[in-house]
Amino acid sequence: MLCGSFREAAERLGLIEADNTLDDCLTEAEQWAMPCSLRRLFATILVHCEPGDVRGLWDRHLEPMSDDYRRSRTSPDEVEQIVLLDIRGMLQSMGKDIVDFALPTIDDAFDPTEGEAREVIEETTVEFDMDDTKLVSSLNLEQRAAYDEILTTVERGDGGVFFVDGPGGTGKTFLYRAMLAKVRSQGKIGIATATSGVAASIMPGGRTAHSRFKIPLSCDDGASCSFTKQSGTTKLLRMALLIIWAEASMTKRQAVEALDNSMRDIMGIRDRPFGGKTVVFADYLLRVGNGTEDVDDQGNILLPEDICLPSTGEVDDLEKLIDHVFPSLDDNMSDSNYMTSRAILSMTNDNVDKINIRMIDRFHGDEVIYHSFDIAEDDPYGYYAQEFLNGLTPNGLPPHALKLKLNCPVILLRNIDPANGLCNGSRLVVRGFERNTIDAEIMIGQHAGRRVFLPRIPLCPSENDMFPFKFKRKQFPIRLSFAMTINKAQGQTIPIVGVYLPNPVFSHGQLYVALSRATAKRNIKILIQKEKPKEKANKLKDNPKKRKRPTVSLLTSMKNIVYKEVLTG
């Protein structure tokens, strides 16, 4: 269509931000979203999108957000109050209070909670599959032994600290679900937490440990959690009979000690760990992970030959790895389970981006490109050109030009609503596009199958000193996830894994995390790419006639970086 100005044309192309993008975001979603999804999108916008006219958004979009309630209630005031209560609960699950936003006041007469603590309501209303109560009959001998011992302690009220140990795929989550179902089916409280949001999302009612226990982000020796004795968290922890903390070894010792100190305090029992509660810590360490695997004189470990792919140092090596991880891709692009049950892991965003670009180009369908809106906040004189800002892709941020296609897999880059499956690292599949919102489906964890609507949100790099200015990017908080960084995959179980190592690993535990994501040895393939000396490569480039058929070698050794003092500290 013909636009009346360059600005209007740029807005329609998504190259500059329009003044009414948040209004348009909700309006677009109203065409095909259920009212409950609209309310969640509204809450997400309040928390993450910095709206300037909150009350105006509310007034303009209350009717579509309340359509389901208006069918069964005739009083407009009652409908408005119910919508407000619903949004209040959503904001609370995101760690915010509705009183912080310019919305109508909630009338206590319509509040059904009767003053009960939000944390207690959340845990007592956790939905769990009744089939989980039958899992106990499927436990193996070792799982059953752990199940019986832990739950006997719960039933007697003796308290105790347990550590569940086992490699990926051995059924730790299966065991946790069985124990939680047993406790919750009796109307009692079992708390499920994990160090990472992804691991927490796998368990019914799972929350991150820092969120649930209010653990300070910076913990020193002797620290305590930040909840008070009169808080809802205190009431919840006093009522809880079982506490599970998965991926415990990924967190700092001081974080665990902070919970211990606070539990002893609120329970009034100083001489027993965690105030006499039954606490289960869960994780696992492999020989690779704890640094006991044999190494050569250069500090490299030898990997099994049957999981390594031959390397020529050519581009085709990566194509072979892609074909191993994504066989028959053309026939399975619409199969969301196929897409989210496999991924290629590498060390850096540059490697990951290279793979994702190849994959999305091979993917069928029309592409949609969303451009970010980038600013340097402390640059009043415009020293930094827009093209320069657009070219930056700091770690943890989406790219300026986000290329997507229907049914492609993506990964979430921020904690949007962890209690409802939208946490940093969640894997989704794209189901629909609009100019200002993306329709996606959660594919992993207890909320798998839920449709969600994502707006653009302002994002800043986690490292404040990365640039000599404060950089902010407004973009959809997702990346393609055909490939992802090894660090991003931490806490996830991915049935079929490829590992692309064009360079040695460079941080503690990186190789261990990469090797332990797959559920079976037969489902992992590793490409340690042979590097060409630069001088030789340049000569071959200048003299094509001197090129020879590439030699094939099977590279099976890789550096394993483990700081053993971390494991014993």
Side-chain angles (χ1 to χ4, degrees), residues 257-456:
E257 291 177 350
L259 177 61
D260 181 34
N261 292 336
S262 294
M263 293 292 292
R264 292 176 191 243
D265 183 32
I266 65 173
M267 297 304 297
I269 302 175
R270 294 283 185 176
D271 59 345
R272 297 178 66 187
F274 301 96
K277 291 290 182 181
T278 299
V279 180
V280 178
F281 292 108
D283 211 298
Y284 63 97
L285 297 175
L286 305 176
R287 292 195 304 274
V288 173
N290 60 24
T292 59
E293 180 72 8
D294 292 337
V295 298
D296 60 21
D297 55 0
Q298 295 180 330
N300 295 331
I301 65 170
L302 192 65
L303 300 172
E305 291 188 5
D306 59 335
I307 67 172
C308 296
L309 292 177
S311 171
T312 64
E314 302 292 333
V315 174
D316 287 347
D317 290 345
L318 182 53
E319 293 295 330
K320 292 174 183 176
L321 178 63
I322 289 173
D323 290 338
H324 271 284
V325 179
F326 295 93
S328 305
L329 177 63
D330 289 351
D331 300 327
N332 291 282
M333 291 184 180
S334 60
D335 185 345
S336 54
N337 290 324
Y338 171 93
M339 297 310 308
T340 54
S341 65
R342 57 198 74 225
I344 296 175
L345 310 181
S346 196
M347 300 91 62
T348 65
N349 279 324
D350 288 343
N351 294 332
V352 166
D353 290 343
K354 178 169 68 174
I355 298 169
N356 280 326
I357 289 171
R358 290 193 186 195
M359 292 297 298
I360 198 65
D361 287 341
R362 290 173 57 171
F363 214 69
H364 294 166
D366 297 331
E367 70 180 31
V368 175
I369 300 178
Y370 291 104
H371 294 95
S372 66
F373 310 126
D374 301 332
I375 60 171
E377 289 199 316
D378 48 358
D379 180 30
Y381 301 108
Y383 292 133
Y384 300 101
Q386 193 67 42
E387 292 77 12
F388 168 72
L389 298 175
N390 294 161
L392 302 175
T393 307
N395 188 34
L397 264 63
H400 164 62
L402 179 63
K403 182 190 293 187
L404 302 172
K405 294 181 181 179
L406 282 180
N407 300 318
C408 71
V410 294
I411 188 169
L412 197 61
L413 301 177
R414 284 293 185 275
N415 286 325
I416 302 296
D417 187 2
N420 290 284
L422 291 178
C423 55
N424 191 344
S426 293
R427 301 184 74 194
L428 309 97
V429 166
V430 174
R431 295 304 191 201
F433 303 110
E434 292 290 343
R435 284 177 57 198
N436 298 287
T437 186
I438 290 176
D439 175 15
E441 181 180 351
I442 299 174
M443 298 308 303
I444 303 297
Q446 59 178 308
H447 300 286
R450 174 177 290 178
R451 297 286 281 269
V452 295
F453 300 92
L454 302 174
R456 281 189 175 92

Side-chain angles (χ1 to χ4, degrees), residues 16 366 484 513 569:
I16 61 174
D366 297 331
M484 65 182 80
V513 171

Side-chain angles (χ1 to χ4, degrees), residues 231-282:
S231 68
T233 299
T234 293
K235 184 173 182 179
L236 173 68
L237 292 175
R238 284 174 175 163
M239 294 172 65
L241 298 184
L242 173 67
I243 298 172
I244 295 176
W245 187 341
E247 291 185 333
S249 66
M250 285 171 52
T251 194
K252 293 182 178 179
R253 165 181 57 83
Q254 289 87 347
V256 178
E257 291 177 350
L259 177 61
D260 181 34
N261 292 336
S262 294
M263 293 292 292
R264 292 176 191 243
D265 183 32
I266 65 173
M267 297 304 297
I269 302 175
R270 294 283 185 176
D271 59 345
R272 297 178 66 187
F274 301 96
K277 291 290 182 181
T278 299
V279 180
V280 178
F281 292 108

Side-chain angles (χ1 to χ4, degrees), residues 39-66:
R39 293 191 288 272
R40 190 164 299 281
L41 176 58
F42 183 81
T44 301
I45 288 173
L46 293 185
V47 174
H48 297 284
C49 297
E50 303 174 348
D53 182 16
V54 172
R55 187 57 181 262
L57 279 178
W58 168 263
D59 291 338
R60 290 188 292 274
H61 299 280
L62 172 60
E63 184 173 341
M65 286 194 297
S66 60

